[in-house]
Amino acid sequence: PTARETGVAALRSEIKNALAEFDSTAIAAFFGAPETPAPDDREAKRTLAAKRKDMTSQRELLRDYALLSTELALSLNQPKEARTAFTEALRWETTPATPGKRTREVEFAVLKAEGHLGLALQIFQDHVLKESPLDRAQREKRIALLRELGWTRWADREARRLSIEKGTVPVRF
C-alpha cells in the first residue's frame, strides 16, 4: 500500500476508535425523549442542564466525526461512502432543518460528487451564497458550477458582473 492509503486507513481507524467512545444510542434517546424535571425541583433542573450540555457536546462531536468521514470519502472520490457518512452527520445535526454552514458546504460537495449538479447549485445558492453573497471565491465557485451545468450564458453574465465589481472591466452604458 502507498503512503496515502496507509494514512487513510490510519485516519479511518482513529475515527472508528473515537466513535467507539460514545454511546450513540443514549445520546439519541436523550434528544428523542428528553427528561423533564418537576417545576420546583432546582437540583433536578441543574442536573438535567449539565446532562444536556454534556449530551449536546457529544452530539456535536459525533456530527463533526461524521463530517470528517464524509470529507475523507470525498477526497478519495467515493461518493457512496460520502453519502452514507453525510447521512450520519445529518442524524447528529443540532437543528436538522437548518444545518450549519460547514454542513451545507459538505452537502454541496456530496451532491456535486454524486453528479446532482442542479441540486448542488440550489443548495449553494439557497444557503452558502445567502450567508455571504459578496464572497468572491464563493461566487467564482458558482460560476464554475454554472459552466459545468452548461449554462454558459448565466455563467458569463455572473463572471462579467464579478469582473465589473473587481474593477477589471469598464462598465458599459
Side-chain angles (χ1 to χ4, degrees):
T2 65
R4 179 183 170 138
E5 291 171 348
T6 307
V8 167
L11 184 58
R12 283 192 170 152
S13 173
E14 288 297 320
I15 291 172
K16 197 173 196 177
N17 291 340
L19 290 175
E21 300 283 324
F22 297 100
D23 184 3
S24 59
T25 306
I27 296 169
F30 177 79
F31 287 106
E35 303 168 16
T36 52
D40 57 344
D41 191 357
R42 288 185 183 192
E43 185 58 37
K45 285 182 179 181
R46 270 192 221 104
T47 305
L48 181 62
K51 186 175 182 181
R52 180 175 289 125
K53 184 178 179 180
D54 181 50
M55 290 292 190
T56 301
S57 67
Q58 288 184 30
R59 175 198 234 177
E60 289 171 355
L61 284 170
L62 285 169
R63 181 202 60 214
D64 290 343
Y65 281 125
L67 287 174
L68 180 63
S69 295
T70 304
E71 290 170 341
L72 181 63
L74 287 171
S75 72
L76 297 172
N77 199 19
Q78 299 172 335
K80 281 188 176 183
E81 289 81 4
R83 171 56 66 185
T84 303
F86 183 71
T87 303
E88 184 70 11
L90 286 179
R91 175 180 178 210
W92 299 115
E93 187 64 46
T94 308
T95 52
T98 57
K101 183 178 179 181
R102 179 175 178 220
T103 305
R104 289 296 188 186
E105 288 173 350
V106 171
E107 182 179 15
F108 166 76
V110 169
L111 287 170
K112 193 172 175 191
E114 290 176 332
H116 303 301
L117 299 179
L119 289 173
L121 179 64
Q122 181 180 1
I123 291 295
F124 191 74
Q125 290 183 160
D126 290 350
H127 302 288
V128 178
L129 252 175
K130 192 174 274 187
E131 291 177 12
S132 55
L134 301 178
D135 186 357
R136 287 194 174 121
Q138 299 291 3
R139 291 176 63 195
E140 287 170 357
K141 196 184 282 188
R142 179 177 183 262
I143 291 168
L145 187 58
L146 288 169
R147 289 194 198 289
E148 278 186 66
L149 281 165
W151 297 353
T152 55
R153 183 172 148 215
W154 290 103
D156 293 343
R157 184 176 290 170
E158 183 69 21
R160 176 150 178 84
R161 189 175 313 134
L162 190 60
S163 55
I164 288 171
E165 289 173 10
K166 284 182 182 177
T168 57
V169 174
V171 180
R172 291 185 299 186
F173 290 102

